[in-house]
Amino acid sequence: MTQSATIPAQPAYSEAARKVIGRKPQLFINGDWVDSSHDALIEVEDPSSGKVIAHVVDASGKDVERAVAAARSAFDDGRWSNMPPMERERIMIRLADLLHDHADELAELEAIDNGKPKGIATVVDIPAAISEIRYMAGWAGKLTGETAAPYAMPGEQVFGYTVREPVGVCVQIVPWNFPLLMACQKIAPALAAGCTLILKPAEQTPLTALRLADLVAEAGFPAGVVNILTGYGETAGDLLVRHPDVDKVAFTGSTDVGKAIRRNATDTMKRITLELGGKSPVIVMPDADVKQAAKGAASAIFFNSGQVCVAGSRLFAHRSIFDSVLEGISTAAPRWTPRPALDPAAQMGPLVSAEQLDRVMGYIAAGKRDGASVVTGGDSPAGDGYFVNPTVLADVNPQMSVVREEIFGPVVVAQRFDDLDEVAKAANDTAYGLGAGVWTRDLSTMHKLASKIKAGTIWGNCHAAIDPALPFGGYKQSGIGREQGRQGIEPYLETKTVILQL
Ligand code: NAP
Ligand code: MG
C-alpha cells in the first residue's frame, strides 16, 4: 500500500492567527498580562512545517510564586466561591459564548500549534471545549449536601448534615494532544465548584491557552480566579505541584509524569486526579459488520495522528474475519494520508514534534526488528514537518514493545483470537485501562465483554465517543479519579459534616 511520498507546504496563516502568534510573551496572573521575572523563552513550532513561529514565557520560580499568591488570595477572600452560583454560572456561560464567537480563530491556532487539521479542530476540539464549560457551569447552582439521620446516636438529640465546599487553589497541568479541550475540561469543574486555579499548558502547544486567558478576562472572572502560566513541566510544573499553598493538582499526560506528580504532591497531601496513558483494545467479534468495524478501527487509531489517550492501538479481530478487517483498514488508510494542518483536505496532520516523530518511528523500527510485518504505512513521508503514514503492524506477539507500550502515533498492532474469554484476557493483558471498543451485533456478547474488560470506558460499535455528562477516566495505571459528569466535579469539592447537639 503506497501513501503520499511528499507533503505539500502549509498554507498561509490568517491575519487573526498572526496577531496571536506575534504577541509579546507574557503570563496571565491576577487578571492581568504581566512580564516574567526573567527573560527565558520557549520556542513554539508549527509541526506542519517544523518552523519556529512564536515564543512564550518559560515561567520562573518567581512567576510561579506570583501566580499561586494570586490564586490563593482570590480563593481565600471568597471573591469567587462566595459569589452567588447563578453569577458564577453566568460568567462561565459567557466564557463559553466567547469561545464560540472565536471558534474559527481558535481552530486555526490549534491547527498551527498542534498540527491537527483545522477542519477537525473546528468540529471536534473547539465545540467539545465549549460544551465542557457549558455543562459544568450548570453544576455551579446544583451542588448540595445532605442530612442523615444519626445511626448510633438518638435522632431527637443530634442533628447532622453535610455541606460541599470548594477544595481551594487548583493546579491544572495539561498535555499537547487536545490543548484547548484539555484546558477547558480542567478549568470547568474547578470554576463551577468555586475553586481558583493556575493552568499550565504543554510547552509544545501554549497558543490557545493564552488566547483563552484573553477571553477569561473578557468574560468577567474576578482577578486571580484563573491564572495561566506557560512554562516547562520539570521547572514551573514541578514547583506548582509541590507548592504548599496549592490544595489540588489535576493532571493529564503520560503515566510516568503522572506517577512523579503523585509522589511530589504527597508531602503536602494535595488532592489529586490523574488522566494518564492507554493502550486501548479494539475488539472485532465474528458477527460484527466488518466494513463498519474496519472503518471504526481505522478512525480509532488514525484520528489525531494516534495522539489520543484512548487511541485504539491494539486491534483484536476474530480469526474468521481477521483478513477482511485488515483489508478494510488498509482501504480506509488513504483517507488518513497526512497533510499540513491548514490544508482543507487534511484528515490527519503531522505529529506534534520532532521528538514525537523520533519516538513513533523508533517504535515502528523496534516492531520490525522484533518480527512484526508492516501491512500498510510504516514510513515517514518526505517534508519539513513531522509526518508519519497511517501504519498497521501484524504478526506481533504480546512481548513486543509495540504491543505493550503506548506509542502515541498512528500505529496499530493487529492480533487474531478465537473466543470471547481469550480476547477478554488478551485485552486486559496491559498495565493500562482507559478505554476499549467492542464491535459486535450480539447484545449478549457486548454485555459480557463490557463486564470482563477492565477499563474506564467501554464503547460498543464506536470508539472514543466522549460526552461532558459521562464520566471519563482510567482503571489501573491509566489514572486516578474521573472527569466529566457529576463525578467530574466531586474532586473539586470537600465534604464538611456538621453535627449539632440539640
Ligand atoms: P508529559 O511529559 O506527561 O506532559 C504533560 C504535561 O505535564 C505537560 O504540560 C508537561 O510539561 C507537564 N510535566 C512534565 N513533567 C512534569 C513534572 N515533573 N511536574 C509537573 N508537570 C510536568 O507528556 P509529553 O512529554 O508531552 O509526552 C510524552 C508521552 O506521554 C507521549 O508520547 C504519550 O505517550 C504520553 N502522553 C499521553 C497523553 C494522554 O492524554 N494520556 C497526553 C500527552 C502525552 P512540558 O510541557 O514541559 O512537557
Ligand atoms: Mg514533556
Side-chain angles (χ1 to χ4, degrees):
M1 182 89 224
T2 51
Q3 307 274 347
S4 74
T6 37
I7 299 289
Q10 169 84 313
Y13 303 165
S14 74
E15 187 58 39
R18 271 186 283 142
K19 227 172 106 188
V20 177
I21 287 167
R23 66 200 281 169
K24 180 181 177 199
Q26 282 188 309
L27 302 165
F28 186 71
I29 299 178
N30 209 26
D32 271 324
W33 285 106
V34 299
D35 292 334
S36 167
S37 75
H38 68 181
D39 294 329
L41 296 177
I42 299 176
E43 288 184 341
V44 180
E45 273 184 346
D46 176 342
S48 297
S49 67
K51 289 201 181 85
V52 174
I53 51 153
H55 290 85
V56 297
V57 170
D58 162 14
S60 68
K62 276 190 189 154
D63 298 332
V64 165
E65 285 302 329
R66 227 170 135 186
V68 173
R72 188 76 254 169
S73 8
F75 183 76
D76 289 346
D77 70 12
R79 72 186 80 163
W80 181 243
S81 60
N82 284 335
M83 195 183 263
M86 184 173 75
E87 284 302 297
R88 287 213 307 272
E89 178 178 356
R90 189 185 57 76
I91 295 172
M92 289 180 69
I93 295 287
R94 172 100 180 101
L95 177 61
D97 289 343
L98 285 167
L99 288 164
H100 177 82
D101 294 346
H102 292 84
D104 189 65
E105 176 198 338
L106 290 164
E108 183 182 353
L109 285 173
E110 209 73 306
I112 291 170
D113 207 8
N114 163 279
K116 68 181 65 209
K118 184 186 170 193
I120 297 281
T122 303
V123 295
V124 179
D125 296 62
I126 313 303
I130 295 168
S131 28
E132 294 288 342
I133 297 177
R134 288 200 196 287
Y135 171 81
M136 279 297 171
W139 275 114
K142 297 176 184 68
L143 300 168
T144 55
E146 55 186 12
T147 56
Y151 175 67
M153 294 189 281
E156 283 178 353
Q157 291 163 33
V158 175
F159 178 60
Y161 64 94
T162 64
V163 283
R164 310 308 305 279
E165 296 181 346
V167 85
V169 173
C170 304
V171 158
Q172 307 192 301
I173 298 178
V174 294
W176 42 257
N177 51 348
F178 294 89
L180 185 69
L181 172 54
M182 293 290 140
C184 291
Q185 200 177 54
K186 289 278 179 292
I187 69 169
L191 293 171
C195 296
T196 62
L197 62 96
I198 302 122
L199 173 76
K200 193 202 86 66
E203 64 189 77
Q204 297 88 348
T205 55
L207 298 181
T208 46
L210 292 173
R211 202 65 187 99
L212 175 67
D214 291 332
L215 304 180
V216 161
E218 201 179 329
F221 287 89
V225 172
V226 178
N227 304 276
I228 300 183
L229 289 192
T230 52
Y232 289 110
E234 292 77 9
T235 53
D238 186 56
L239 289 169
L240 286 167
V241 166
R242 295 173 192 267
H243 203 292
D245 286 338
V246 170
D247 302 296
K248 175 181 165 56
V249 177
F251 168 79
T252 297
S254 60
T255 291
D256 284 349
V257 172
K259 288 178 186 176
I261 286 181
R262 190 182 191 197
R263 281 193 295 272
N264 299 340
T266 294
D267 279 348
T268 40
M269 206 52 83
K270 290 184 175 66
R271 279 70 184 122
I272 186 148
T273 37
L274 304 170
E275 297 290 347
L276 308 176
K279 191 76 181 172
S280 299
V282 169
I283 300 170
V284 188
M285 298 304 286
D287 67 293
D289 176 335
V290 169
K291 242 183 164 168
Q292 281 303 320
K295 230 171 111 188
S299 312
I301 187 63
F302 302 142
F303 171 68
N304 215 42
S305 305
Q307 302 169 128
V308 182
C309 52
V310 292
S313 49
R314 289 183 299 145
L315 171 69
F316 296 94
H318 189 266
R319 190 175 302 278
S320 62
I321 49 162
F322 183 82
D323 291 339
S324 3
V325 172
L326 251 56
E327 204 184 300
I329 297 178
S330 299
T331 309
R335 174 164 174 256
W336 299 94
T337 297
R339 304 180 75 86
L342 295 182
D343 184 329
Q347 189 70 24
M348 187 173 97
L351 299 179
V352 74
S353 62
E355 187 189 351
Q356 205 58 25
L357 176 64
D358 286 349
R359 177 189 161 97
V360 172
M361 292 314 292
Y363 271 112
I364 294 173
K368 287 189 206 162
R369 261 197 322 273
D370 292 344
S373 58
V374 177
V375 180
T376 187
D379 58 334
S380 164
D384 297 326
Y386 310 124
F387 298 90
V388 175
N389 279 320
T391 299
V392 179
L393 302 178
D395 302 314
V396 296
N397 67 56
Q399 280 72 50
M400 294 182 184
S401 64
V402 284
V403 176
R404 303 213 72 79
E405 296 168 23
E406 183 177 48
I407 300 176
F408 230 58
V411 183
V412 62
V413 293
Q415 292 163 273
R416 294 175 178 79
F417 69 91
D418 291 300
D419 69 61
L420 187 145
D421 285 326
E422 176 200 352
V423 75
K425 195 160 171 248
N428 287 331
D429 181 19
T430 167
Y432 296 111
L434 200 52
V438 177
W439 294 79
T440 175
R441 286 186 277 209
D442 185 301
L443 206 54
S444 160
T445 301
M446 180 66 80
H447 281 297
K448 279 184 190 155
L449 282 170
S451 150
K452 281 176 190 289
I453 294 171
K454 293 179 172 57
T457 305
I458 311 290
W459 289 287
N461 297 316
C462 63
H463 198 93
I466 286 172
D467 186 276
L470 294 166
F472 178 83
Y475 280 33
K476 302 197 272 183
Q477 294 194 27
S478 286
I480 294 178
R482 293 291 178 270
E483 291 186 313
Q484 304 185 144
R486 164 88 208 199
Q487 286 194 43
I489 197 163
E490 291 291 334
Y492 292 91
L493 297 166
E494 293 282 9
T495 298
K496 179 178 281 171
T497 302
V498 182
I499 301 172
L500 308 175
Q501 184 171 314
L502 303 176

